[in-house]
Amino acid sequence: MEWVHNDWNNLNVRIGEAMKSLIRERFQSLRLQKHALDFVEDKLGEVMIFGSLTFVHYHMYGGIEGDPLMTAAGMELLILATDILDDLEDGDAPAKPWMNIPMPESLHAATSILTLAHQAMLQGIKDIRLRGEFAERLNNQLLLSANGQMMDIASEAKDEDGYVEMIRLKSASLFVLACNAGAMCAGREWSPDIEAYAEALGLSAQMKNDVRDLVRWDDKSDFLGRKISLPLLYLMESSTEQDSWIIDYFQGRSGAEAVRDRQDQFREALERTGALLYGTVMGRMHYNRFLDLLDAMPAEDRWKEGLVRMLGDDSRINDKALRSNA
């Protein structure tokens, strides 16, 4: 099967419909079902990158008998559940539907969706032996992510190494799960080689998000929310006396009123210190590692090329001058 960009849009819709079908089938409580369907509808406004990674990896590794759409839908339900829990913990997404219903109902819906995700992903893997192995791997990756999430909530990362370890656990572990889920759905064993390039992709994706969330000036701003990121750490180390207001706010010595109208000054500091450039370069470095490791894998070239196109960059096919985009 040849893939073009429009096919990825169609895949997004197919995964979303599969998610809704699972919810209607397995959630007998009409209130739970309504909440879950509303949450999926909100998610349909995004590209379902994790489910797409699962689907593509099934085909990359020669899948025939598994159910990649079921496994992909389970993967996206898992991501939806973790997103809900993350927003409830951070309190930084007031427009999301799960932030506008009673907290106990949001928590219950999230844990119910997580349980449904487990069932769907296991159901998509037809080999009974691999299904058992995947169940163990699934729990392991979720535990890694849970540890990284606590490190994030508690702001435990104090330097670059600590931050990279935190996002390796919190974020990259889920990329590893998505890619290996597709391969195991195809009948393959859990692969350390897939794990290596998926982790590099996950690190790259998070670092790209870091740059995006640092320049925004709303509820998702890492700076306004005092959330550690790689470019913010670089900014702190490179700041001068004229940037003391940034340090004072980030370390809690001043409040929101001290920074409310200083977006332009903050952006100037990011440019002047090279913090944005640093974050971009680090993300590109991990993305290039992902590409190199992917190239070495014994998988069909057309699917590897399709994967790169899905991630948003066709230049790999021609000159290997690739950018970070996840």
Side-chain angles (χ1 to χ4, degrees):
M1 179 184 297
E2 297 298 329
W3 285 87
V4 294
H5 289 292
N6 287 339
D7 292 315
W8 300 121
N9 294 334
N10 181 55
L11 179 58
N12 214 61
V13 172
R14 291 172 62 197
I15 293 173
E17 289 303 316
M19 294 165 71
K20 291 179 181 179
S21 179
L22 284 163
I23 288 167
R24 293 190 185 102
E25 177 185 344
R26 304 302 297 182
F27 288 172
Q28 280 76 47
S29 164
L30 294 182
R31 191 169 183 85
L32 175 59
Q33 184 182 117
K34 182 184 184 306
H35 286 332
L37 290 173
D38 287 346
F39 298 169
V40 169
E41 195 62 38
D42 180 84
K43 190 168 179 57
L44 285 174
E46 309 168 1
V47 176
M48 295 193 183
I49 183 65
F50 290 93
S52 297
L53 284 171
T54 298
F55 186 87
V56 170
H57 276 74
Y58 173 83
H59 292 284
M60 273 177 59
Y61 294 101
I64 297 175
E65 296 182 353
D67 189 340
L69 195 59
M70 175 71 71
T71 308
M75 187 68 218
E76 282 295 343
L77 285 168
L78 185 151
I79 296 300
L80 174 59
T82 59
D83 284 348
I84 294 168
L85 293 171
D86 187 56
D87 286 343
L88 291 173
E89 290 162 358
D90 293 343
D92 61 357
K96 289 296 185 181
W98 46 85
M99 303 298 289
N100 290 284
I101 62 174
M103 175 76 76
E105 295 187 22
S106 292
L107 286 171
H108 182 74
T111 54
S112 299
I113 291 169
L114 188 60
T115 302
L116 179 60
H118 278 240
Q119 184 183 57
M121 295 182 78
L122 292 173
Q123 186 176 333
I125 298 174
K126 301 307 180 183
D127 186 301
I128 300 300
R129 181 184 61 82
L130 288 178
R131 187 182 295 175
E133 179 187 348
F134 180 73
E136 183 176 347
R137 296 286 189 174
L138 171 60
N139 287 334
N140 182 67
Q141 295 306 113
L142 287 177
L143 287 170
L144 291 176
S145 186
N147 279 281
Q149 176 71 358
M150 181 54 74
M151 292 171 66
D152 190 17
I153 293 170
S155 299
E156 291 182 12
K158 304 302 182 186
D159 54 27
E160 181 176 320
D161 288 343
Y163 182 73
V164 170
E165 176 63 8
M166 186 268 286
I167 63 172
R168 184 187 71 80
L169 293 171
K170 176 183 175 180
S171 304
S173 61
L174 299 178
F175 279 81
V176 170
L177 178 62
C179 295
N180 261 306
M184 293 188 77
C185 184
R188 301 295 186 100
E189 301 282 346
W190 182 277
S191 168
D193 293 329
I194 293 177
E195 186 170 349
Y197 72 68
E199 181 174 287
L201 177 61
L203 291 173
S204 168
Q206 184 59 56
M207 290 177 186
K208 181 182 179 181
N209 288 345
D210 287 348
V211 171
R212 180 198 65 197
D213 291 343
L214 193 54
V215 298
R216 63 194 302 168
W217 208 253
D218 56 20
D219 293 323
K220 283 291 187 180
S221 165
D222 281 351
F223 173 65
L224 296 180
R226 296 188 175 101
K227 293 185 66 176
I228 287 292
S229 70
L230 201 60
L232 260 176
L233 285 169
Y234 189 89
L235 174 62
M236 299 298 178
E237 294 176 358
S238 308
S239 62
T240 62
E241 187 174 344
Q242 65 181 303
D243 304 317
S244 60
W245 64 275
I246 295 175
I247 309 298
D248 287 343
Y249 174 76
F250 198 80
Q251 295 182 350
R253 291 191 293 270
S254 64
E257 69 285 350
V259 300
R260 184 173 294 116
D261 299 319
R262 306 184 80 166
Q263 181 178 5
D264 290 341
Q265 287 176 264
F266 181 67
R267 183 60 184 261
E268 185 277 330
L270 292 175
E271 298 285 356
R272 171 170 39 81
T273 61
L276 285 181
L277 177 62
Y278 180 72
T280 301
V281 168
M282 292 300 292
R284 185 189 300 266
M285 180 189 74
H286 286 287
Y287 191 68
N288 286 339
R289 172 171 166 75
F290 153 70
L291 291 167
D292 290 339
L293 292 171
L294 178 66
D295 262 352
M297 293 299 292
E300 289 191 35
D301 286 342
R302 60 176 177 159
W303 283 103
K304 289 194 284 188
E305 292 166 0
L307 172 58
V308 174
R309 284 198 297 274
M310 182 190 76
L311 295 171
D313 195 328
D314 293 338
S315 58
R316 175 63 166 180
I317 301 168
N318 299 318
D319 61 12
K320 302 187 179 181
L322 295 155
R323 58 181 171 82
S324 170
N325 191 349

